[in-house]
Amino acid sequence: MKRQKGYWGMEKTRKLFNPFIDEVLLKVSLNELAIMYQKMPTTTILATSFEKTFKLAQLIQNQYYGLNEDDIVSWYLEKLDLCLRTYNGQAQFQTYFATVFRNKLREETEKQNYKKRKCILESINDIMEIGLEDTYNVVDMLLPKNLTSNEHDYCILASQGYDNAYIAQQLDVSRMTISNIRKSLKVKCIDLQD
């Protein structure tokens, strides 16, 4: 699943902060910047901290998909400000910030995935009211046309709630083959995931 493009994004926000970055403060450690920020929170310290944590934040954001870039930047700034205000010196600032930011992105990803699962389950419940045989026709309609017969049969059996061991037995293939079928389906059904 691709990251949803937003209007601002990380790079545009970085450019927005450029005029506020202090070259002298770039030489100061993030630990010291946090102490300075707690005494007097300024845009200059926040902008400089943003610049110093930018690559770290990019590495973290690249681990999460399906989130809007504008939201990511908003959470980045929110958590950076929070970390600067609450840093207590027990760990390196980068470690503290990375943990807080990663937890926020994980939380938001889990919320989004929960909403998707809930929508899917509600849709399945609606389909089940129509009738079980119609459900299989809907699954058939959603599947890409380029599936092998084993991939197609796997999808039908999986939609009926059977586990991989049972499906392997029904298709007369090994569990390793089932694993390969699943990998292939992830690639072929990528459009269904978006």
Side-chain angles (χ1 to χ4, degrees):
M1 186 177 297
K2 298 174 184 167
R3 177 169 287 105
Q4 298 171 8
K5 291 280 184 192
Y7 178 73
W8 283 103
M10 297 278 277
E11 282 294 336
K12 288 186 178 183
T13 305
R14 185 181 193 189
K15 288 177 185 173
L16 186 69
F17 269 134
N18 266 345
F20 300 99
I21 295 173
D22 185 329
E23 294 297 322
V24 174
L25 290 180
L26 280 174
K27 297 174 184 166
V28 175
S29 74
L30 281 163
N31 298 7
E32 294 169 311
L33 284 175
I35 293 166
M36 292 168 61
Y37 194 75
Q38 289 169 14
K39 291 177 184 171
M40 188 169 65
T42 65
T43 305
T44 302
I45 296 172
L46 182 63
T48 305
S49 300
F50 184 91
E51 180 63 29
K52 290 178 73 82
T53 58
F54 184 77
K55 287 184 181 180
L56 174 62
Q58 278 187 315
L59 288 172
I60 293 168
Q61 85 157 6
N62 288 337
Q63 298 170 4
Y64 298 90
Y65 297 95
L67 300 174
N68 182 289
E69 271 193 61
D70 290 343
D71 291 336
I72 292 172
V73 171
S74 175
W75 297 322
Y76 174 16
L77 288 170
E78 173 191 331
K79 295 307 174 186
L80 180 60
D81 176 67
L82 172 78
C83 290
L84 288 168
R85 290 177 187 276
T86 60
Y87 177 69
N88 61 13
Q90 290 183 342
Q92 287 294 317
F93 183 85
Q94 290 92 328
T95 305
Y96 176 52
F97 168 72
T99 302
V100 170
F101 187 48
R102 188 174 285 119
N103 287 343
K104 178 63 176 175
L105 295 185
R106 183 179 302 121
E107 172 191 325
E108 293 299 328
T109 301
E110 287 171 0
K111 278 184 198 175
Q112 195 172 62
N113 288 339
Y114 171 76
K115 288 178 186 175
K116 287 178 185 174
R117 283 192 303 272
K118 186 176 177 184
C119 288
I120 289 169
L121 289 176
E122 287 173 356
S123 297
I124 290 173
N125 287 336
D126 292 343
I127 291 170
M128 294 301 277
E129 288 177 13
I130 296 168
L132 211 49
E133 290 193 17
D134 289 339
T135 303
Y136 306 135
N137 292 335
V138 170
V139 170
D140 254 345
M141 288 181 346
L142 291 174
L143 292 175
K145 302 302 177 209
N146 63 341
L147 299 183
T148 67
S149 62
N150 276 349
E151 291 168 343
H152 180 269
D153 293 346
Y154 175 87
C155 291
I156 297 299
L157 290 169
S159 72
Q160 294 171 5
Y162 294 112
D163 65 5
N164 288 336
Y166 178 82
I167 295 172
Q169 183 182 5
Q170 292 300 308
L171 298 179
D172 195 29
V173 296
S174 69
R175 286 193 177 179
M176 183 55 103
T177 301
I178 291 294
S179 176
N180 290 335
I181 288 171
R182 289 171 51 98
K183 287 178 188 172
S184 175
L185 284 169
K186 283 182 183 178
V187 173
K188 291 182 179 180
C189 296
I190 192 88
D191 292 334
L192 291 177
Q193 295 172 19
D194 287 340

